[in-house]
Amino acid sequence: MDKPPERYDAHLTDFKGIAYIEGIDRYQDLYTRSIEDVEGFWAEQAREYLSWEKEWDSVLHYDFEAGNVEWFRGAVLNASFNCLDRHLGKGDNRVAYYWEGDDPAESRQVTFRELYRQVNRFAGVLKSRGVRKGDRVVIYLPMIVELPVAMLACARIGAVHCVVFSGFGSEYLTDRIRDSRARTVVTADGSSRGGSIIRLKENVDHAVQRCPDVDTVIVFDRCGLKPALDGRREIWWHEAVAQPSIPDHVAPEPMEAEDPLFLLYTSSSTGRPLGLVHTHGGYLLYAAMTTHLSFDLKPHETFWSTPDVGWITGHTYGVYGPLLNGLTSVLFEGVPRYPDFDRYWSIVAKYRVNKFYTAPTVIRLLAQHGTENVTKHDTSSLKLLGSVGQPIDPEAWMWYHQYPGRGVCPIIDTWWQTESGGHMITPLPGVAAIKPGSCSFPFMGVDPVLIDPDTGDEVRFPNQEGALFIRKPWPGMARTAFEDHERFRETYFARFPGLFFTGDAAKRDEDGYYWITGRIDEVINVSGYRMGPAEVEAALVLHPQVTESAVVGFPHRLKGQGIYAFVTLAAGSSKSDKIRKELIDLVRTKIGPIATPEAIQWADGLPKTRSGKVLRQLLQKIAAGNFDNLGDTSIISEPAIIENLIRERMGIDAS
Ligand code: WTA
């Protein structure tokens, strides 16, 4: 494979006369205005991208030291109205979703009008079950049309959706139902992924047993598994929406701009997951605008963002962004390897997808299976390829560009986070040359700052690495953690007074391009998905023979990072493969396959400071097989532990 060029600029010719934002000067004008005239700039964008029932009294109030941010005070709007109602009338037979089943024989098209109809009826069902404005609804559904339907139905009545990725297991689901204090759960009997069935309703049963406040479980019949429902707490989706008492139209609830639209749980470096809260006003504006500009999407184009709606990418670029812009997109239930490794490209060809968005881990996986899987399909409709979730390495960049992209598609490497709601640093296709591996320049309104961790000063030289902070609020940012503002403040605003902490490190080169170098906290990025060490550790210690564990990330060829677990067994337990397998099974069922440890290393003891804090950075180095520079080991209470860990590590094949 050839190396990628240092600068790629052919797209500037291809997007000339087409791009919404053309040329570096135009970008710089807009960007400067977005930073210098924050209120004027965002008021203009808010009118451009959204329909407001009532406009704001003021655009922005904030106090970063307290972690408080408020956009569009006094304004009123509704997310479901903005995604659906305002596209009705002329053109509402436009396709909102091309839905493609796990089984290639199954597919379906849903127009904006049909989506509107389904959302209204489901909103009616939720109301009939007593769901009110502000109530949380947990949605645990596979990638089927009913997933966006349920989300928009919540938004319509002002309920707060909390989507839990359907690949997560019952323990995770239980935690989220509990933490969000949801009384309603929307699920399916099962989900079909890669040709096998996952029994979602059984996971819900386990969870609901431990969440007695849940009074409604609505079950969509996806797989024909026919679980017995009690008919009181548990009802079938298809029966509920068919009730004659359910109205065809439910008026969208007037929502204040700062009212919560959804909760999405994400892993932070310590403790339990954080339920980040995103709002009706700012989030929607940011979702609509970034979708429009980063992918330069035109009204007639078809967009496909592959990540599951259970993650932020699916919320913003699979649901809200495209629907707000009235765009057609693809919703795919399955996985890229089923029935074969050409599945994505067969879907691109089938729907003539123009703009495509996925994670580097997928590209690395597909690249391993040869180029013919791509070239046997007609991918000539593709004009732009997006990347998200991890840094994209040169080989993956080149393969993505040369095969699906036929050597002509630019790669838009978007850096952002669950916390940010939408793209933060990303190339815009008409603006400037791309440097493969760099996510280019900040999006409008985003003011990044690199801080030298040793001195606490802003980094002064090009290419000097620093911790990445953001200086000003942007509309898409999360506002709080559900019922735990103090933890939110502490996690994001306490490191450096007045700045938002991203958890990543980055460099800025001599041309002003940003290069993300990875997390500097303990969050592990597995295939572009975030995992917190504490969550995996909590699952491991459920095993009766485990007394303690410490989980860290380590470099993994395909996934970017893999999960590496150090496990201490109770005295007298044998360090057997049987226990190893039990531990892996435990993590898979409690959290989900995504958290499967790549390696489990027995540790007679864990390296701790005298005050008992586990030294994770040291464990990260040992997991990576990087023994030369272990740092100051004198602070460890029992130094012999390290020698043992290194000796054990040498015997493990982890890559
Ligand atoms: C990482 C996913 C490098 C980063 C949208 C961030 C990236 C975390 C990129 C957020 C990228 C995301 N280049 N690293 N283009 N995009 N990351 O919350 O470490 O699941 O902090 O949001 O993924 O992950 P999250």
Side-chain angles (χ1 to χ4, degrees), residues 4 269 374 408 522 563 565 574 591:
S269 53
V374 190
V408 298
E522 283 144 11
I563 290 180
S574 74
I591 304 181

Side-chain angles (χ1 to χ4, degrees), residues 199-347:
R199 294 175 175 267
L200 296 183
K201 173 64 170 47
E202 287 182 4
N203 289 346
V204 174
D205 291 345
H206 284 127
V208 168
Q209 271 169 15
R210 287 176 292 157
C211 301
D213 291 341
V214 171
D215 59 24
T216 297
V217 178
I218 306 174
V219 186
F220 183 77
D221 178 10
R222 169 68 193 111
C223 299
L225 301 174
K226 300 277 176 289
L229 305 192
D230 69 15
R232 288 189 315 278
R233 180 166 73 174
E234 304 169 326
I235 57 172
W236 285 110
W237 174 302
H238 60 273
E239 289 177 2
V241 293
Q243 292 293 324
S245 57
I246 297 297
D248 281 333
H249 178 76
V250 172
E253 186 75 29
M255 303 300 286
E256 302 254 334
E258 282 294 308
D259 279 337
L261 171 63
F262 64 85
L263 297 187
L264 189 60
Y265 283 85
T266 192
S267 302
S268 66
S269 53
T270 50
R272 59 195 172 79
L274 276 173
L276 293 174
V277 176
H278 281 286
T279 59
H280 268 252
Y283 170 81
L284 291 180
L285 169 57
Y286 206 67
M289 184 172 169
T290 50
T291 304
H292 186 68
L293 296 181
S294 304
F295 304 115
D296 204 62
L297 276 159
K298 307 296 191 227
H300 58 275
E301 289 181 327
T302 297
F303 180 51
W304 183 15
S305 164
T306 69
D308 196 284
V309 171
W311 303 87
I312 191 67
T313 309
H315 278 58
T316 306
Y317 301 106
V319 179
Y320 287 108
L323 295 177
L324 287 165
N325 284 291
L327 291 164
T328 301
S329 48
V330 173
L331 187 69
F332 173 45
E333 185 184 29
V335 292
R337 61 178 157 73
Y338 180 80
D340 211 334
F341 285 92
D342 68 337
R343 188 69 193 278
Y344 271 10
W345 318 119
S346 79
I347 296 174

